[in-house]
Amino acid sequence: MAEWISGGYDGLAYLGKQYTADYRGYVVRVSEGNPEKRKPVEWFAYAWDVTTETHRWAGQHETEEGARAVLESI
């Protein structure tokens, strides 16, 4: 079973080790707008498609835990 791995900086985590059979994708923290009027931070989830060997958008959530749950449910 794939485990969560830190992406090397705060705001990025991988589900499984990249380039291995158990890799399932990643979550990343994003925000929009200028810093003074920034929208709430959101987390995007991207699933790895083994057929096309590309990431595809899987969903988003207001929290990291929620975005992880999105990716884990696929």
Side-chain angles (χ1 to χ4, degrees):
M1 182 170 167
E3 295 185 19
W4 286 99
I5 301 169
S6 172
Y9 68 89
D10 186 33
L12 177 65
Y14 297 99
L15 182 52
K17 185 175 180 182
Q18 288 182 290
Y19 312 111
T20 65
D22 70 338
Y23 178 65
R24 295 180 48 199
Y26 67 94
V27 296
V28 62
R29 184 180 56 219
V30 298
S31 60
E32 296 180 16
N34 67 41
E36 294 81 33
K37 298 179 182 179
R38 187 163 293 188
K39 292 182 180 181
V41 171
E42 290 186 295
W43 288 81
F44 285 7
Y46 291 90
W48 179 249
D49 185 325
V50 295
T51 304
T52 62
E53 295 185 337
T54 59
H55 289 96
R56 62 178 170 78
W57 185 83
Q60 68 190 62
H61 200 273
E62 293 177 357
T63 66
E64 180 178 6
E65 292 80 15
R68 286 182 179 206
V70 167
L71 194 56
E72 291 170 346
S73 71
I74 298 173

